[in-house]
């Protein structure tokens, strides 16, 4: 199986257009060889939601659904709650470890030195601004920090740490950017609040994709050369969706016990996202390496091989 080092080519992060399931699984399980030298990655800048948040929401003051992230079992295997929506490490942590970097500190941790980059992701975040969601009656949590605000944080960080534009460009050229996973909450809030049907939510997808692409374009303009943009997960396999919608949609279940219609929606998002990434890649052929990360396929791989990977589902 390929290692992260083998996947690197000519100083760029990846020579592939899609981060394969096998590579992603290797990264998630921490089995790749350290590859910082081959990849020339010396920092990670991350934008996203709870999939990547390493402590920003905890410092903002989590409320509602996220109020418990400051106590066990969150952070239990790390010996303290860190603000991660997990009992242990996240995908971004495994990326950092694979690249022989220290774990990436959250932006709101003002005591951090940010030597390995900065994490701007916030649990509960949306790709679209709250005002856009409200127009269709979709409510985002009070502490939600949308993608546009995370980009503002990034620019403030650059203004505070770069002596000059030339210095910034050089600094960002050696960094890896994770733009997402983001957009899942835009859909979650609409679906789980019961305000929007699948068909109605499809109208949001192009707007969500545009918001993601706008941030990717802007970081490229600022000097980013290595970018990973992940897709959405199979939300139809999520316990929250299954508990709310499986009774009324029993005929919608597939062989895995997942909701086919909601997984089809996630695949629709991913298809439009990949098409947009292809366009961005063509427009920046000589400027940046842009990779789509197949989180949907990786999740399904884990689900289909749960017993072999040490996870048992009931």
């Amino acid at each position: 199986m390929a290692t992260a080092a083998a996947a690197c080519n000519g100083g760029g992060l990846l020579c592939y257009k899609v981060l394969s399931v096998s590579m992603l699984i290797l990264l998630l399980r921490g089995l790749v060889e350290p590859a910082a030298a081959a990849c020339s990655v010396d920092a990670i800048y991350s934008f996203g939601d709870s999939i990547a948040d390493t402590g920003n929401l905890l410092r903002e003051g989590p409320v509602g659904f996220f109020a418990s992230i400051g106590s066990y079992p969150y952070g239990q295997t790390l010996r303290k709650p860190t603000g991660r929506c997990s009992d242990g490490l996240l995908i971004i942590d495994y990326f950092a470890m694979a690249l022989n970097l220290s774990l990436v500190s959250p932006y709101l941790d003002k005591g951090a030195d940010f030597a390995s980059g900065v994490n701007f992701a916030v649990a509960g975040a949306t790709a679209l601004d709250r005002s856009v969601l409200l127009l269709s009656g979709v409510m985002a949590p009070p502490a939600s920090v949308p993608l546009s605000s995370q980009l503002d944080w990034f620019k403030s960080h650059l203004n505070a740490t770069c002596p000059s534009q030339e210095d910034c460009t050089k600094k960002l050229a050696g960094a890896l950017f994770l733009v997402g996973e983001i957009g899942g909450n835009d859909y979650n809030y609409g679906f789980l609040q019961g305000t929007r049907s699948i068909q109605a939510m499809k109208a949001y997808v192009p707007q969500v994709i545009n918001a993601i692409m706008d941030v990717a374009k802007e970081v490229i303009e600022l000097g980013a050369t290595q970018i990973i943009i992940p897709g959405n997960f199979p939300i139809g396999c999520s316990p929250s969706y299954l508990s709310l919608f499986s009774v009324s949609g029993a005929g919608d279940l597939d062989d895995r016990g997942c909701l086919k219609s909601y997984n089809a929606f996630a695949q629709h998002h991913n298809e439009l996202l990949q098409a947009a990434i292809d366009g961005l890649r063509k427009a920046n052929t000589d400027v940046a390496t842009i990779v789509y990360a197949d989180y949907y396929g990786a999740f399904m791989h884990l689900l289909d091989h749960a017993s072999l990977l040490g996870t048992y589902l009931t």
Side-chain angles (χ1 to χ4, degrees):
M1 301 179 89
T3 64
C8 297
N9 182 26
L13 175 67
L14 295 170
C15 58
Y16 308 120
K17 291 184 179 179
V18 178
L19 187 60
S20 68
V21 173
S22 59
M23 170 63 83
L24 187 57
I25 295 301
L26 283 171
L27 286 169
L28 300 189
R29 298 187 69 192
L31 299 178
V32 296
E33 298 173 3
C39 288
S40 298
V41 172
D42 48 35
I44 297 174
Y45 294 96
S46 172
F47 304 86
D49 54 26
S50 60
I51 303 301
D53 185 1
T54 54
N56 282 317
L57 183 62
L58 185 66
R59 288 165 174 80
E60 275 213 317
V63 296
F65 180 80
F66 293 102
S68 61
I69 63 172
S71 57
Y72 286 157
Y74 293 97
Q76 190 163 312
T77 63
L78 301 176
R79 299 184 180 179
K80 66 175 182 178
T82 61
R84 290 167 172 80
C85 291
S86 168
D87 66 345
L89 299 174
L90 303 178
I91 295 172
I92 184 176
D93 297 317
Y94 287 106
F95 271 109
M97 292 161 62
L99 294 165
N100 204 26
L101 300 172
S102 59
L103 301 186
V104 185
S105 299
Y107 173 70
L108 294 181
D109 181 0
K110 299 308 180 182
D113 63 7
F114 300 124
S116 292
V118 190
N119 191 348
F120 303 98
V122 183
T126 54
L128 300 177
D129 287 353
R130 178 192 298 272
S131 58
V132 176
L133 294 170
L134 279 174
L135 289 175
S136 294
V138 178
M139 297 288 294
S144 177
V145 178
L147 196 52
S148 60
S149 296
Q150 294 179 32
L151 182 63
D152 289 340
W153 284 357
F154 173 63
K155 292 177 180 178
S156 295
H157 172 74
L158 293 184
N159 290 335
T161 57
C162 291
S164 66
Q165 180 60 47
E166 182 180 346
D167 182 72
C168 254
T169 301
K170 182 179 179 181
K171 176 180 180 179
L172 299 183
L176 168 63
F177 282 76
L178 300 175
V179 183
E181 184 274 332
I182 190 73
N185 286 325
D186 299 69
Y187 309 137
N188 290 339
Y189 296 143
F191 286 138
L192 301 181
Q193 291 170 13
T195 58
R196 309 292 286 177
S197 67
I198 291 177
Q199 195 58 40
M201 285 304 295
K202 279 190 174 182
Y204 273 117
V205 177
Q207 297 178 67
V208 168
I209 302 301
N210 287 339
I212 296 170
M213 289 300 104
D214 285 346
V215 169
K217 290 173 185 175
E218 191 140 5
V219 297
I220 290 172
E221 291 175 1
L222 291 169
T225 64
Q226 303 179 100
I227 304 172
I228 292 177
I229 306 176
N232 202 355
F233 292 95
I235 58 176
C237 300
S238 167
S240 56
Y241 278 77
L242 287 167
S243 64
L244 284 173
F245 305 122
S246 61
V247 175
S248 58
D252 192 31
L253 298 178
D254 62 16
D255 293 340
R256 296 184 177 95
C258 300
L259 292 160
K260 291 182 286 187
S261 58
Y262 288 93
N263 278 354
F265 176 87
Q267 288 176 311
H268 174 67
H269 166 94
N270 292 342
E271 288 166 2
L272 293 188
L273 179 61
Q274 289 181 77
I277 291 172
D278 285 342
L280 185 63
R281 189 183 293 120
K282 290 174 183 175
N284 295 277
T285 303
D286 300 323
V287 178
T289 300
I290 306 167
V291 177
Y292 170 78
D294 183 18
Y295 281 13
Y296 187 105
F299 185 100
M300 285 304 193
H301 180 91
L302 290 170
L303 191 61
D304 291 341
H305 299 85
S307 60
L308 297 176
L309 296 169
T311 302
Y312 296 91
L313 305 176
T314 58

